[in-house]
Amino acid sequence: YYADKSLQQVKLLKTVYLYKDVDHTKKVRSYPKDTVFDVKTIDKSKTGLWEIKTASGYYITANKNYVRKTK
């Protein structure tokens, strides 16, 4: 998992869902592989996993199996 607060941008390695909250309880929609997201910050969920807050204010996983740092 990425936990570096200086992370600026990520690219999806697989299809990933976008969520309204850090705990992934409200799914918004999916995005395909190779989609690029600008990162606002990284937050920790209640379960202790790191989640990326995108520039649009929604969350995606910070799991390195699903996203790769581009900047």
Side-chain angles (χ1 to χ4, degrees):
Y1 283 83
Y2 288 105
D4 182 3
K5 298 274 186 177
S6 67
L7 187 66
Q8 295 178 6
Q9 194 175 65
V10 293
K11 183 176 183 178
L12 301 184
L13 302 175
K14 302 177 182 182
T15 297
V16 169
Y17 279 96
L18 198 68
Y19 294 87
K20 286 187 177 186
D21 62 325
V22 71
D23 294 308
H24 288 199
T25 59
K26 295 180 182 168
K27 199 180 286 185
V28 176
R29 65 169 284 199
S30 65
Y31 282 87
K33 176 183 176 181
D34 295 329
T35 302
V36 175
F37 285 98
D38 290 326
V39 176
K40 186 173 185 177
T41 189
I42 296 183
D43 296 327
K44 202 177 249 190
S45 70
K46 288 179 189 171
T47 59
L49 298 177
W50 291 101
E51 305 295 340
I52 295 169
K53 186 172 188 176
T54 65
S56 64
Y58 295 105
Y59 288 90
I60 58 173
T61 181
N63 187 324
K64 291 181 180 182
N65 292 323
Y66 291 87
V67 297
R68 180 180 358 184
K69 178 181 179 177
T70 59
K71 283 188 186 177

